[in-house]
Amino acid sequence: MKVLFVSVILVIVIAIKGQSEATAEWKEYKTKHSKNYNETVDGGKQEKMRKQVFLNKEAKIKKHNSGNSTYKLAHNKLSDRTEEELNQLLGTVLPPLTSKPRSLISKSGHRNDRKAIRIAASLDYRNHSCLAAVKNQRSCGSCWAFSAIAPLEFSKCLKTKRAVVLSEQQLVDCDTASTNMGCNGGWYAVAWKHLQQVGGSAKEALYPYTAKKNTCNFCSKCACKIGAKVSSFDYVEAENATEMQIALTKYGPLAVAITVVGSFYSYSSGVYDDPACDGKDVNHGVVVVGWGVLNSINYWVVRNTWGTNWGIGGYILMKRGVNKCSVETYPAYVVAAA
């Protein structure tokens, strides 16, 4: 009887200690990420809900990091967001594709690319002067616009030798193609076609981002507002890492579509290799800006649009050559007009 009593006491003590540690971790998280929930509103329901979401994420992070994985997870500003809120960070809508993208070396004018372009052991545009700083789409499913704009900014800069920052908001407001729906998703190649048709992309300073769809305010006749025009664009052959490397070397960053699953939101470091994202529909637009090898694992350097406080300064390393999360299914490049 005495042994049973002691066991019950120990269980209670452990439970109290666990709750105390969880509360301390929650408070530390709120302080670090400037989360302020008013505990006096609705009887503290918002606070309790957010805390539970955080603790559920905490359990998943600890379980994952205790195993033998090629990547690590950690808390970030998204750790207390609900699934519905996280879905607002996605937004690719795949349009009907009439034909499969062909190999670059099979296209007119590119037959000698494989011989002419030397594929380096690694390539990383993250610190290139033509790559604008990582942006934040916020709670708007406009990733498609960001994945269209970053490669265009880079291409224009290569032509003029001057950095340029272009407007995603113009696409959110003005691109009314059937697949492009402002904060409700779209597709990067369709966005490039739109920019060709309307005369170009406005400079961000003259058409700033608001993270919501507004009335179109683009003036195609105002040349001073145009930051870049699209000369051409095309897809790279699907599921061909070598072709992607050739395109990255020749044209710069590539727009791609990927499949985001739960672990992606908490990515912290290492080479991402979650099998849960394979074989599913794409739902997020990002940009591949390079490749490399870490601990004998080939990876792509992928630029996200959730700010610099996510991942590795806004980037993620994704396993290369295995079409991880469909990253190698829809790669595309754009060429800016001179």
Side-chain angles (χ1 to χ4, degrees):
M1 191 70 178
K2 184 177 180 180
V3 173
L4 179 60
F5 176 77
V6 172
S7 297
V8 171
I9 294 299
L10 284 175
V11 170
I12 294 174
V13 170
I14 291 172
I16 293 174
K17 182 180 179 181
Q19 291 177 358
S20 177
E21 290 177 349
T23 298
E25 290 171 349
W26 172 235
K27 287 182 177 179
E28 181 181 351
Y29 172 78
K30 288 193 295 181
T31 299
K32 180 178 180 180
H33 296 281
S34 301
K35 304 281 187 174
N36 298 305
Y37 300 116
N38 193 335
E39 298 182 32
T40 63
V41 176
D42 294 329
K45 289 183 180 180
Q46 180 75 203
E47 166 80 11
K48 292 176 183 177
M49 183 274 285
R50 296 294 177 182
K51 180 180 180 181
Q52 190 56 55
V53 171
F54 167 82
L55 292 178
N56 291 342
K57 187 64 64 68
E58 169 76 1
K60 291 178 181 179
I61 289 173
K62 285 184 176 180
K63 181 179 180 180
H64 173 85
N65 289 345
S66 65
N68 184 22
S69 178
T70 60
Y71 65 97
K72 294 295 184 181
L73 304 180
H75 285 297
N76 55 41
K77 62 184 179 180
L78 306 178
S79 292
D80 64 342
R81 294 197 188 183
T82 64
E83 184 176 354
E84 181 180 1
E85 290 170 331
L86 292 175
N87 286 338
Q88 293 174 353
L89 300 173
L90 309 177
T92 55
V93 179
L94 182 64
L97 298 178
T98 57
S99 62
K100 288 186 177 181
R102 294 173 296 152
S103 166
L104 280 178
I105 61 171
S106 70
K107 296 175 183 177
S108 176
H110 299 297
R111 294 182 183 278
N112 296 318
D113 274 359
R114 197 180 293 274
K115 293 181 180 180
I117 296 178
R118 174 181 173 273
I119 299 177
S122 64
L123 177 71
D124 195 338
Y125 288 129
R126 278 180 286 185
N127 295 318
H128 196 287
S129 60
C130 284
L131 190 65
V134 170
K135 300 178 183 180
N136 191 346
Q137 69 185 80
R138 307 206 294 274
S139 296
C140 169
S142 55
C143 57
W144 59 277
F146 285 82
S147 58
I149 289 298
L152 182 59
E153 290 172 333
F154 193 94
S155 180
K156 179 62 175 179
C157 176
L158 287 183
K159 299 258 184 181
T160 63
K161 307 305 179 185
R162 294 192 305 272
V164 61
V165 182
L166 303 174
S167 172
E168 290 83 11
Q169 191 63 44
Q170 175 192 341
L171 290 171
V172 173
D173 291 348
C174 308
D175 189 348
T176 58
S178 59
T179 55
N180 293 358
M181 302 171 288
C183 287
N184 294 316
W187 192 253
Y188 40 85
V190 177
W192 289 332
K193 183 177 181 179
H194 168 80
L195 293 178
Q196 275 188 326
Q197 294 172 337
V198 301
S201 173
K203 300 171 185 175
E204 184 184 58
L206 301 177
Y207 205 141
Y209 188 66
T210 65
K212 63 181 180 180
K213 184 174 177 62
N214 309 297
T215 301
C216 180
N217 190 33
F218 175 69
C219 174
S220 60
K221 297 179 180 179
C222 304
C224 62
K225 292 186 176 182
I226 303 297
K229 295 183 179 181
V230 174
S231 173
S232 63
F233 62 89
D234 206 346
Y235 290 100
V236 179
E237 185 179 41
E239 298 183 44
N240 190 326
T242 300
E243 291 286 334
M244 285 180 65
Q245 289 174 306
I246 291 173
L248 274 160
T249 304
K250 185 178 180 67
Y251 299 108
L254 304 177
V256 298
I258 62 173
T259 305
V260 168
V261 293
S263 61
F264 190 91
Y265 296 105
S266 302
Y267 170 80
S268 174
S269 63
V271 180
Y272 187 72
D273 187 24
D274 189 344
C277 69
D278 295 330
K280 298 180 179 178
D281 292 339
V282 294
N283 56 17
H284 189 44
V286 290
V287 176
V288 175
V289 302
W291 70 81
V293 181
L294 179 65
N295 298 325
S296 301
I297 303 174
N298 295 331
Y299 66 78
W300 296 115
V301 182
V302 180
R303 171 190 172 101
N304 201 0
T305 51
W306 297 346
T308 57
N309 292 324
W310 178 88
I312 307 172
Y315 292 85
I316 181 173
L317 308 182
M318 299 182 68
K319 194 169 184 179
R320 169 166 54 97
V322 296
N323 200 23
K324 177 56 54 182
C325 306
S326 297
V327 68
E328 294 157 11
T329 302
Y330 304 107
Y333 64 89
V334 64
V335 179

